[in-house]
Amino acid sequence: MAIEAARRDPLMRNSLFLMATTVATAGFGFAFWILNARVYSPGDIGVASTVLSGVALLSYLSLLGLNNLVMRTAGRPDAGSLLSAAALLVAGISAALGLTYLAVAPQLAPDVQRALDGPVAVLAFVVLAVASTVNVLTDHAFISRRAAHYNLLVDAFLQGSTKLALSALLVGWGSLGLIVSSGVAVTVSALASLLLLSRRLGLALTLRPDW
């Protein structure tokens, strides 16, 4: 009876999928660090965890509360244009903050700066910051449309499995392998989210929104 009631209630169903997403994401994250701790050096793990923690902070700072805009305007006819504008804006902000982080890293954390030295590392970090921010934004778009099951699919299973597989392949890259694998995984997740919002939920996303 309770299961049937949850299936009929979109708010309850959304909540259950959000809880499932949290559990699955935590499981993939646990597996990612436990397995990689056996094949990467302690120094690589320390640098990568520091960088990824910094990216998480940058992504939430870059949102500027626009995730709340996405939540509150889900029913408007111009919701697609609003989401597009918000995504482009937070992407630009996160890229700027990412470059600022790289500029001050030598003074704050020399080990991190050495790990992010070179064009590939810089590109991986900036892409990771941008994709992480956009992905958080699209998560809220799914939630506001009672479609949290896509969060479970994209954030937990797609992103988690991609990150695990790539980190195993990039062991020889050291800490950069963990950073690149996380960057590719979250980029795939963000692009998949935008595609699902457009194709499945009918949002008219555009690169030229009505600012």
Side-chain angles (χ1 to χ4, degrees), residues 158-169:
L158 179 61
Q159 184 178 158
S161 58
T162 301
K163 187 163 63 173
L164 274 173
L166 286 177
S167 64
L169 294 174

Side-chain angles (χ1 to χ4, degrees), residues 29 32-33 36 44-60 101 112 116 124-125 127-129 132 159 163 167 175-186:
F32 177 79
W33 290 113
N36 286 321
D44 291 338
I45 294 293
V47 169
S49 61
T50 300
V51 170
L52 296 179
S53 297
V55 167
L57 175 62
L58 293 179
S59 66
Y60 279 98
Y101 178 95
V112 170
L116 297 176
F125 181 83
V127 169
L128 175 58
S132 297
Q159 184 178 158
K163 187 163 63 173
S167 64
S175 59
L176 183 58
L178 295 169
I179 297 169
V180 170
S181 61
S182 298
V184 172
V186 75

